[in-house]
Structures are given as C-alpha cells and as structure tokens.
Amino acid sequence: MRSVSLALAILAATLSWATGSAVADDWETVDTPNDVKIFDTDIQGSTIWFSTHGEGLVGYDGNSWVTHKTEDGGIRRNTWNYRVYVDSGGRKWITRDSDLTIDCLDDNGTFSNKTDDSWSYYSYPDDLANNRVFSAAEDLSGRVWFGMRDENHSRTGTLELFIDHGDTVEWVHYDNAWSPDSTCFADDDVRALVVDQDGRLWIGYNAAGIDVWDYGDPLVFADDTWLHYGEDSGLPDDQVHTLALGSDGRVWVGTLGGLGVFNAASESWATVEELPGNQVRALAEDGQGHMWVGTNEGVAMLYGNLGIASTYDESDGLADSRIDHIAVDKASGDVWAVSVNELIDDTELNLFRSGIVAGMGNLFVYPNPWREDESAQMVQIYGAPETSEVEVLDLSGQLMARLEPSEPYIWDSLDDSFDEVPSGVYILRVELPNGDVQFLKVAIIR
C-alpha cells in the first residue's frame, strides 16, 4: 500500500478549487458587434471567425473584434455569407448563394491590421460551375474542396476543387457528367465534407446519406473507388447535417435522426444514444479528444467511448437550446456555440469556458462538489490516460479507494469495502504514466 504523508495530504487539500474543478458552471451569452446574425463559424487557433448576414466577415481574438465589410475594400458582400472555412494556411474562405460565390482572405497573420490583407475572388460562371456553396474541406495535399447545391437538379454531385499551383490557380468541377461512372455521386445537394486520415473525401448529402470517395489523383478517374452509406448500412438518417474527423481517425456524422460514428479500423458504425436532441447539427473535438455535439435540444460532451459526459440546455445558460454551429479552442478549452432562432430571425453566440485543454497534465474533476441528491453522474476525473494510477485519500492521507483504468476515471463515492464515504473533502492522487504525481480535491455532500 502506498503511503502518503499527512503534510502532503494537507498541502493538497489547500489547493484552490480551480485546481480541482476546471469546468465552468454555466454558459454565457457573448455580445457581438451590431448584434450580427451569424451564419457559420470556424476557429483559427484562439481566434473565432463568423460569416454573417449584414456585417460581412467578423473575427474575435479574445480581446478585440475585427469586421471585414464591402466598404473596407475587401469582402464583396456584407449579407448572406453562408459559410466560413479556415484552411491550414490561415486563409479564410467565405461562401454564399450568389454569382459572387467565394471570397478568400489572407490576412498575413495580422488580425486587426487590414493594410496587408490580400483578397481573392471566385465567381459563377467565370470560375465555378455552380453558385451555391454549403461546405468546405481541405485534403492532405492542401487542396480545398467545396460542396455545392445544383438548383436546377441537372448535375448530381456538384463539387468544386481549388488547386493552388503557386503562380496560378485551377478550379475543377465534379458531377456525374464528369466521370465514366454516372452513379458515382448519390445526390446534387452536398451539405457536409470531411477528409479522413487516409485521404478519402466524405460527402454528406441533404437527403441521400454519404459517399466516400478514395480519389488518389483527383484529376485521374481510373484509380478511384467509391463507398456509399445510408440508413440501410448504419447511418441513423439519410439527411446529413455535419461531418467531423476525430483525432483517433473515427468519422462522426451528424444527421437529422441522430449521431453516427464510423470506425475505419473495424469498418463498423455505432450510434450514440440519449443525446439531448436527435437532430445533430454541429460537431467539434476538444483538446482531450472529447466530441462536443450541438443538437436541436442542447449540447452534449461525449467521451471517447461514446458515453455522454455532460449535457447542457437553457437551464445551463444557453440562450437557445437549438445549436447550429460549434467551435472549440483547444488551447483554452473555450467552447463556442451558435444558436439560431429561425422564428424571430435571430442568432445568439454562446461561450462555455470548459477548461479542457490538450495535454495529459490537465486534470480536473467533475462534478465538484458531488451532491448525492443532485448529481446524476459519478465523480469523473478528466485528463488522466488509462495507464495512470488514481487513488482516493481522506485528509489524513488514509487510502480510501483505488480506481480502475478508464477514460475518464470514475469514482462511485464508495471506499474499497463498497461503503459510502461520509460527506467531506477527499484527495485524488494521480500518478501519470511519466511518473509525475498530481493532486486534486473533491467535495462529497450527502
């Protein structure tokens, strides 16, 4: 049995509550410049970007706001900017339903200084074969794909590929007329795109499930392979709202009827149960590999094993339980969520300072305090890899329980004899795989 000195235990017990509970209690509503209507959001490091109706492109770096409008000489339209996508080079792509289809901002890494901004413009029909863009994704070679909707329903597929050759750029259009195989694209309304760790393009449709295109060289069709997934092959629903790639390689699919997760290693689908709402509209991963899910009835945070860690709705501070967009700052743990209220044509920007950041030394306990009559979950210890050793001690240093490896670690508020521990403050001793030892504290209230 490992012994812990009384002095060390008392020292651990005097740590601030912030050390033992990094999770915030509530969401807050963030005021935006001119109360803008937000259509989409993407994150660049710790800077959050918004495409809007009325204010062009808006950014926030945690201290100040920047607005790019037509009168600044940059973005071509202030209104109806549907999507914003930040690529790996820091370029901001703004897409819309217009012949002025795509604008691209390269701010040269200077957030608020507009004097060195560089803008590129791409229009229909000069550059693009369609003028409605709903999604974007970058592939492993730095090329950017755009998912389109064909209003005339004459081109099933409708993708545009942007290739930057350095001195010149090239746009390539794809639909069923492009390929020898006229059945390669399932639909003409592409709503979500993501590139998986093997370089395959996942294409989510408004009403036709998903195509997975392994294209190799995107200009050569002969070596391509296709897979299709729908309700009959594992998807919760054929109407796909959003796609996300997890850091572990799994592909997450948000649909009108729930959340599906594809494991490439086993080539199998799993469905996440008991989400706040069945309509999954937004997905974003945090620094610990947890997936944040925006639904029509609130937000859920999921463990890697697909279990639900926490759920949030208006009672937790959300301005509206319907969540259409989510972005996570992995450095700070801040979770940004956009609520869209279509009935009154309004949006709200919600912020949750979760404290969940990358790195196995980022330990925290939730809920803290744990209340027997109020806490639906057991005590959970985040940030400790499964090969850690986690022990529960009382304030005298007496060992109360050793926890089984899991992600997160779970304590049922019982000691090793399966007896309830009394109300009080307890010390969690966490020895990480590298030998570092950290102490947290948790309050038990019965």
Side-chain angles (χ1 to χ4, degrees):
M1 177 181 297
R2 181 183 290 107
S3 64
V4 178
S5 71
L6 177 60
L8 185 58
I10 293 175
L11 174 62
T14 61
L15 294 174
S16 69
W17 281 108
T19 303
S21 180
V23 177
D25 292 328
D26 295 301
W27 292 76
E28 58 187 274
T29 301
V30 177
D31 294 329
T32 56
N34 299 322
D35 195 25
V36 299
K37 179 177 181 180
I38 299 170
F39 277 171
D40 191 26
T41 184
D42 200 4
I43 200 158
Q44 179 185 11
S46 292
T47 299
I48 187 86
W49 291 94
F50 308 100
S51 57
T52 76
H53 174 46
E55 295 294 318
L57 176 67
V58 176
Y60 180 64
D61 68 354
N63 296 305
S64 60
W65 295 87
V66 65
T67 302
H68 294 273
K69 302 179 71 172
T70 54
E71 47 264 44
D72 301 325
I75 196 168
R76 288 182 290 177
R77 284 188 60 172
N78 292 335
T79 58
W80 304 110
N81 298 291
Y82 280 167
R83 294 287 177 260
V84 58
Y85 177 76
V86 183
D87 68 20
S88 61
R91 294 177 298 187
K92 273 65 72 175
W93 298 85
I94 305 97
T95 74
R96 55 181 70 95
D97 173 16
S98 165
D99 291 352
L100 309 177
T101 314
I102 300 175
D103 294 354
C104 182
L105 167 64
D106 185 350
D107 62 11
N108 289 295
T110 59
F111 173 71
S112 57
N113 178 15
K114 300 180 185 179
T115 61
D116 62 350
D117 290 352
S118 175
W119 286 86
S120 302
Y121 307 111
Y122 307 102
S123 304
Y124 168 85
D126 297 333
D127 305 295
L128 305 165
N130 207 297
N131 63 354
R132 299 198 74 184
V133 186
F134 287 103
S135 54
E138 185 176 5
D139 69 14
L140 303 184
S141 298
R143 298 171 294 226
V144 183
W145 291 87
F146 294 90
M148 319 287 282
R149 176 180 177 181
D150 179 24
E151 282 299 287
N152 298 320
H153 302 291
S154 60
R155 296 187 178 98
T156 303
T158 60
L159 293 175
E160 300 280 354
L161 175 63
F162 176 81
I163 306 175
D164 190 344
H165 296 290
D167 295 334
T168 61
V169 301
E170 178 182 5
W171 285 95
V172 183
H173 176 76
Y174 300 86
D175 57 42
N176 274 348
W178 161 82
S179 73
D181 181 357
S182 61
T183 63
C184 57
F185 293 100
D187 197 14
D188 56 11
D189 192 348
V190 179
R191 293 303 177 99
L193 294 172
V194 76
V195 176
D196 68 19
Q197 61 183 3
D198 296 319
R200 301 181 301 175
L201 182 65
W202 289 64
I203 307 166
Y205 299 106
N206 186 47
I210 292 173
D211 282 328
V212 183
W213 180 16
D214 190 351
Y215 53 81
D217 184 340
L219 302 181
V220 178
F221 184 82
D223 61 350
D224 295 359
T225 60
W226 292 82
L227 294 170
H228 181 78
Y229 297 108
E231 287 186 56
D232 58 350
S233 53
L235 272 186
D237 192 270
D238 279 337
Q239 187 169 337
V240 177
H241 285 301
T242 184
L243 293 166
L245 177 66
S247 56
D248 59 2
R250 289 183 295 182
V251 177
W252 299 68
V253 184
T255 76
L256 182 68
L259 177 59
V261 185
F262 183 79
N263 189 331
S266 61
E267 296 185 353
S268 61
W269 286 93
T271 300
V272 178
E273 304 292 344
E274 299 182 357
L275 290 169
N278 283 332
Q279 298 179 23
V280 177
R281 300 177 176 275
L283 297 165
E285 190 180 53
D286 67 22
Q288 291 284 352
H290 308 116
M291 191 63 68
W292 292 79
V293 184
T295 79
N296 59 315
E297 296 292 340
V299 174
M301 190 190 83
L302 304 184
Y303 302 139
N305 63 8
L306 307 188
I308 296 177
S310 304
T311 60
Y312 309 92
D313 56 24
E314 292 178 61
S315 66
D316 301 296
L318 286 172
D320 191 308
S321 289
R322 169 170 165 157
I323 302 298
D324 287 77
H325 308 289
I326 281 185
V328 178
D329 180 349
K330 294 185 178 182
S332 69
D334 289 352
V335 182
W336 298 85
V338 179
S339 300
V340 177
N341 190 326
E342 295 178 332
L343 295 178
I344 60 174
D345 194 29
D346 187 28
T347 63
E348 297 284 357
L349 179 59
N350 306 277
L351 171 61
F352 184 64
R353 302 186 188 277
S354 76
I356 304 173
V357 300
M360 64 183 181
N362 178 56
L363 302 174
F364 65 92
V365 186
Y366 183 83
N368 193 7
W370 180 89
R371 293 180 172 87
E372 185 172 39
D373 296 332
E374 300 178 15
S375 298
Q377 300 137 331
M378 297 183 184
V379 175
Q380 302 157 48
I381 301 94
Y382 291 92
E386 289 192 21
T387 52
S388 304
E389 294 184 11
V390 181
E391 297 174 336
V392 182
L393 315 167
D394 65 16
L395 290 182
S396 70
Q398 177 69 36
L399 177 66
M400 306 299 291
R402 287 191 177 95
L403 306 186
E404 293 295 326
S406 64
E407 201 288 316
Y409 278 74
I410 302 294
W411 182 36
D412 55 9
S413 73
L414 306 178
D415 62 20
D416 276 344
S417 298
F418 303 102
D419 295 323
E420 292 183 348
V421 300
S423 295
V425 175
Y426 292 86
I427 307 302
L428 299 169
R429 181 189 186 278
V430 181
E431 183 173 339
L432 299 169
N434 65 358
D436 289 346
V437 176
Q438 297 188 30
F439 295 91
L440 308 172
K441 68 177 181 178
V442 60
I444 299 297
I445 301 175
R446 296 196 182 279

